[in-house]
Every structure is written in structure tokens, then in C-alpha cells.
Amino acid sequence: MWRYEKRLQFPVNIKEPNAKIASYIMSQYGGPDGEINASLRYLSQRYSMPYGVQKAVLTDVGTEELAHMEMIAAIIHQLTRNLSAEELEAQGFTPYYIDHTAAIWPQAAGGVPLNACEFQSKGDPITDLFENLAAEQKARTTYDNILRVVTDPDVIAPIRFLREREIVHFQRFGEALRDLQDRLDAKNFYAFNPSFDKPKCR
Amino acid sequence: MIRQLSEASFAMDDVLLFLDTHPGHPEAMEYLRNMAAARKAAIQALEKQGGLLFAEDQAFSGGSWVTERWPWEGGC
């Protein structure tokens, strides 16, 4: 289960509102490769994992992604608070404001709402771990894209932190994949699905 | 103090992930013990000043959970 710890994993203190940048960073909240989808992906996959190492990594990384989801929400909140409708309009934020005012809602920068079709929980541990390696790279690329268009150091600091965490997670998933492969038949990793099949030579 | 909590907690989070794929790794376990101790000390110091990190700590500490400012609002 989860407890809430009343602090952010990394501080977010933004002095200058900027709804335009907020609308871009929104993709890391509700976008296809954002923190919510990352968390749901890993927390969903862990139930069908056959061995402890993978269950642990998916649980712990999935939980950390919730903390990142919170940081992204904090960034968007601080970039859009205390602005008038006119200021939001001038900063290109009106379509979102019409439906959500200055609230936080999971959608991508382009307006596509969060969607479970954007991640997989496939029930085969090799498949799922490769999905996760790709997911961390997609998230890293998204942060790279964000960093090209942000100039405010108050925003850059937490975004850089989150980008580095994606790289570390990628490393951990690589290790989890190697650990899994070590437990399978080295001559044929695909002989059976350890999440589902009973091994045939039993 | 908040800084120490932040740094010790993050170091702990990171080594915990490492320990998931390297269970029982001796240096990592030593690092974990150090970071966890630093975190614990920081939490105790902070809660003595009235800032609660966990709702349940209302049981031991005089601080209040239902504060006006929450972490996503920033500032100190």
C-alpha cells in the first residue's frame, strides 16, 4: 500500500508564471510518455511478474513515478497560478483554461487526454521489460524536448532532475531484464512464458 | 534541515532501487544504513519544529497535518 509523505522528492519553487511553458510540460503529466502512464505501466505489470527482483523494481520505480507525477503537477500549478484569463489567453492557454480553469488534468501538450492505450502490460516479463526500457527513453526524449524550449532556471532544475531519473530507471530495468534472462533457458529465452505457462519439462 | 532531509531521502530512494537489482550488495547496504539514519534524524528534527511529514505522526508530535500550505505550492 501507499502512504503519503508530505514533501516533493525534489523542490519546485517557481517565481515567474508562464502558462505557455506549462502547456508543454503538461505532456509529462498526462501525455503518452508522462509520469502517470509510467507509474500505471509499472504498477500494473508487477502482478504478473514471476520473480522477486522484477516485482521489486516495478513496485519501487512505479512508486517513484507517482512522486514525479506530483512534481510535474507542482510545476504546472506554479506556472499557471494567479494569472488572469487575459494573461492566460496571451500565453496561449485558453483551450485548456475553458475546460479546466487553472486546475491540473491529465492531457498531453497537444490536447490528447491520458489513455491506457498509450502503455502496455503484456503479461510476458521479457516483453514488459523491453516496453519499460523504451518507456524510459521516450520519457527522456520528452524531457530533452522540453529543455530546448525552457529558459527559466527555476523550471530547468526540477526538469533536469526528472530527466536524470529516467536514465537511472532505464539502467535498473536493464539489470532486471538481465536477471530475468539468467533464470531462463539460455538456449531459448522464449521456450515458455514464465508469467503464464508451466515449463514443459516438468 | 529540509535540505538534509531532501538529500538523505533521495540518496536513500536511489540506493533502494539499486538494491532491488543487487539484493544484499554490501557497500549499498552500508550506504543505505547511513542515508536512512541521516533521514531519520532530519525527520525527527523537523517534526520537533512542528512540520509533520506523515499524517500518523500527529499521534506523537504536536504539529498539525491540516496545514494551509502543501508541498506543490512551493516556497519555504
Side-chain angles (χ1 to χ4, degrees), chain A residues 168-182:
Chain A
V168 173
H169 292 170
F170 178 79
Q171 184 68 20
R172 298 286 91 85
F173 284 128
E175 291 158 4
L177 176 62
R178 238 182 307 140
D179 172 274
L180 173 70
Q181 288 167 338
D182 286 346

Side-chain angles (χ1 to χ4, degrees), chain A residues 5-7, chain B residues 1-11 38-40 42-43 46 53:
Chain A
E5 187 171 332
K6 201 184 199 183
R7 66 183 180 86
Chain B
M1 204 183 315
I2 292 180
R3 181 110 194 227
Q4 182 188 324
L5 172 63
S6 206
E7 289 178 359
S9 301
F10 171 63
R39 170 178 150 86
K40 196 171 197 182
I43 292 176
L46 247 146
L53 270 185

Side-chain angles (χ1 to χ4, degrees), chain A residues 124-199:
Chain A
D124 176 307
I126 296 175
T127 309
D128 282 338
L129 287 170
F130 275 106
E131 157 93 7
N132 301 347
L133 291 167
E136 293 295 346
Q137 289 296 337
K138 288 186 285 187
R140 192 253 323 154
T141 299
T142 314
Y143 281 123
D144 282 346
N145 293 346
I146 289 170
L147 285 169
R148 286 195 195 90
V149 298
V150 177
T151 51
D152 182 349
D154 294 342
V155 177
I156 289 174
I159 294 291
R160 273 223 182 105
F161 169 83
L162 291 168
R163 178 186 173 279
E164 277 154 31
R165 294 310 291 161
E166 309 299 3
I167 295 171
V168 173
H169 292 170
F170 178 79
Q171 184 68 20
R172 298 286 91 85
F173 284 128
E175 291 158 4
L177 176 62
R178 238 182 307 140
D179 172 274
L180 173 70
Q181 288 167 338
D182 286 346
R183 297 169 198 272
L184 300 175
D185 179 357
K187 288 193 245 155
N188 183 7
F189 289 149
Y190 307 122
F192 69 102
N193 178 349
S195 292
F196 193 72
D197 304 313
K198 304 297 175 231

